Amino acid sequence: MRRPLVFLILSLSAAVPLFAGDPVPDVDVTVEQVPGKGFTIEFPAGGAFDEVRVRLPRGIAKDVTPGRLPSGWALSRDGRDLVLKGPEVAPPARLRMTLGSEDRPREVGYEVLRGGASLVRRDGVAPRTAPRYEVRNSLQGIVYLPPDVAPGETITFRAQEDAPLPPGGRFVLSGVVAEPIPEEDLAGTVLAIVNTTRSNIKKTMSAALPPEGLTLRGGTCGDLAPLAAALVAGGNARHTGPVAASREAGDAAATAGWAVASLRSRHDPAMGAIRNLKFFLAAAPLAGGQGEGAGDGLSIKEKGIWRMAAPGGKSTVVVAVGKPDKPPSLSDPQTVPVALRGETIEGGCRFVPRDPSWLELYRAAREAPPPASSNSLSGTVHAVEVPEWLAPGAALSLTFIDRYGEVWLDVPAVEGTAVKPPRPEGGEAAQPCIRTATRYVQGADLVCVCGSFPTPESSLALRIGDRPAGTPVSASFSAVRLQTPRGLPLGNHRIAGSPDAGFSPSCQAEVSHVLIRGEIDSQRLLRGESTPMRLIVQGTADRVPVRVRNLTPGIITIEGGEEQVAESSGGAENVVTRQVRGTGRGSFNVEWSLASPPCPCGEETAER
């Protein structure tokens, strides 16, 4: 079954940037910390160029080979100089070469040119060292996605501290580019936008849209979307009944997708009729796919014209679509927010109300899309709408692409996250509530909280004990992952949500913060004797599973096997006891940790 077209329309205006001339390129030279590997010249900002000359020590320069260069560029030599040249490119750009020598250059010189004219030249530059470029295929230590997601819902996640990724890139979830949002914006600006705009949309839709929806004929849902929004925003939708529309001139039919549009109706409400709707501005649905760089701008219809006829053909009016003249602003008093879903019918489209996601409202409200290079992993929340085409049980993919277009993370099938059926549409949003949570955590483990979290406000309103849980590590409609607060005392703690965010006092869960410490007589092991190893569980009197691993099997043996899960005794002295024998000389190493499932939101979605 084909899914209906879904879009959001809001009033929009835009400004044209002015340029005072091309600045000199900003240049950064790096050498990988592994000798004989990568040598990189980066251009994070500045004007366009078409040639770069690099001077290296002669013994190093002779063995350099091209790695990743812009399309059409090639490497040649002019004495000691490496000459990299090709079609004109603009920053951000990266030239990556491979060093054949095990030596690393202590100093380099470079010159950047455009059309033979020198833009910048430097000699005696000491390159900085950088970690080896490596594409990772695991999310471990980078991000944790929610344990389950539904097609069409908005999820958020944060990169872990010290994640081995460069700043200035974007995450891409199953082909959809994530939106980087500063944490302070998520807790402040975003919530204000969502609460205010949702209220305005509800008022507009209830006042202007017939209960059965608005039916337009003569085009596709994508073609008719701006027209439908104009009718609703101008208060005309209730006066029209079925309307025939045909394209008279302009662009080809728009690609189906999400839309954010401008509606600046010059309709006189006193006339109360469709024939007085004279002019409005609109943006078509977003065109193209969600590949690299997509999703940052709008596809604007500049010259489209619709001829609209009321039933019976007695009155005709031409509706023109013009180019916006300034960025969108939901604070503009002339903004009329409209949110519609288009359902394809024979010969046209029926438009009914829809509830836009908070991410759509955030995108529509900001003054201008942030540049890709402004993203920093620290202090940033990444928000993304899960693709609607994903079927239950499908695998999510996640990649990270830096601002130069290089992939640093590539996970084609994310483990530990399940795609569940879409949530039913219509009706009031679910009430925020906590159903259950991770029962035991130790150290800096993540706490997985299961329940209903329909808004960013509900996922930000959680507390562990008497401490705010802060910005979630990841959040979806049905699950939130939280970082254990620093200094959390051992013992049981209540997880609850603020009543101001809609949580009932009866909706809460409990987590136990525990510590496992070990005791063993190492002198007896050195003599080759057997001695008991005691793993003492503090913070709970419950019986808990403890995973034990012998990392030095050639030096010691452990009763029960080299890797095992043992249940603690429970009670005031909560211990796991195993006999250990020394079998060889050297240092020994035993690892222990909690073995309980970290996420109880369903066995099929537990993190593996």
Side-chain angles (χ1 to χ4, degrees), residues 142-146 155-161 183 380-382 444-447 459-460 469-476 479-484 607:
I142 298 178
V143 298
Y144 292 89
L145 295 184
I155 66 171
T156 61
F157 55 88
R158 290 189 294 124
Q160 296 293 286
E161 293 184 10
E183 286 189 42
T380 301
V381 174
H382 303 270
D445 285 352
L446 300 182
V447 179
S459 64
L460 291 167
T471 305
V473 170
S474 66
S476 68
V480 173
R481 290 189 195 271
L482 303 172
Q483 188 72 59
T484 307
E607 182 176 278

Side-chain angles (χ1 to χ4, degrees), residues 88-410:
E88 188 174 283
V89 296
R94 174 186 282 138
L95 311 180
R96 187 186 294 279
M97 292 154 282
T98 301
L99 296 172
S101 168
E102 291 296 316
D103 295 328
R104 289 178 290 179
R106 295 182 179 179
E107 291 185 349
V108 301
Y110 60 80
E111 184 176 15
V112 184
L113 304 96
R114 180 183 185 186
S118 179
L119 300 177
V120 59
R121 178 172 179 169
R122 298 284 187 272
D123 292 309
V125 176
R128 64 183 181 88
T129 59
R132 180 180 178 181
Y133 171 67
E134 181 180 4
V135 180
R136 296 177 178 267
N137 59 6
S138 170
L139 300 187
Q140 187 68 33
I142 298 178
V143 298
Y144 292 89
L145 295 184
D148 54 46
V149 300
E153 76 169 307
T154 299
I155 66 171
T156 61
F157 55 88
R158 290 189 294 124
Q160 296 293 286
E161 293 184 10
D162 302 323
L165 299 176
R170 293 289 178 93
F171 286 98
V172 182
L173 179 80
S174 294
V176 181
V177 180
E179 185 85 23
I181 302 175
E183 286 189 42
E184 60 269 22
D185 279 6
L186 185 64
T189 306
V190 172
L191 296 182
I193 290 171
V194 171
N195 294 334
T196 301
T197 309
R198 282 196 192 282
S199 175
N200 291 340
I201 287 176
K202 188 173 182 179
K203 293 176 182 177
T204 300
M205 305 303 287
S206 61
L209 197 66
E212 69 276 10
L214 172 64
T215 300
L216 300 179
R217 300 185 185 277
T220 66
C221 289
D223 287 336
L224 298 171
L227 181 57
L231 293 172
V232 175
N236 288 292
R238 283 186 174 272
H239 303 282
T240 61
V243 172
S246 62
R247 183 182 299 281
E248 188 170 88
D251 301 334
T255 302
W258 299 101
V260 179
S262 168
L263 299 172
R264 202 55 79 84
S265 174
R266 296 181 183 175
H267 168 61
D268 180 2
M271 297 292 291
I274 187 173
R275 56 183 174 273
N276 195 52
L277 181 64
K278 295 292 181 65
F279 180 77
F280 70 96
L281 301 176
L286 293 180
Q290 287 281 356
E292 177 186 343
D296 290 338
L298 301 176
S299 173
I300 306 296
K301 279 194 177 305
E302 297 182 2
K303 300 178 181 178
I305 296 178
W306 282 262
R307 183 173 298 280
M308 185 176 63
K314 295 181 180 180
S315 61
T316 302
V317 69
V318 174
V319 184
V321 180
K323 187 173 182 179
D325 56 4
K326 64 179 182 179
S329 174
L330 292 183
S331 61
D332 190 330
Q334 298 186 62
T335 295
V336 182
V338 177
L340 298 170
R341 171 182 291 277
E343 298 178 350
T344 300
I345 60 174
E346 185 176 355
C349 189
R350 186 172 75 95
F351 296 93
V352 295
R354 64 175 289 263
D355 187 20
S357 73
W358 63 265
L359 181 56
E360 292 175 82
L361 299 180
Y362 170 77
R363 286 172 172 163
R366 54 183 196 199
E367 290 299 312
S373 60
S374 67
N375 175 31
S376 171
L377 294 179
S378 176
T380 301
V381 174
H382 303 270
V384 62
E385 290 176 352
V386 180
E388 289 198 348
W389 51 262
L390 282 174
L396 293 174
S397 66
L398 188 68
T399 58
F400 182 85
I401 303 172
D402 71 11
R403 56 184 164 177
Y404 301 102
E406 287 193 304
V407 175
W408 288 75
L409 174 72
D410 185 11

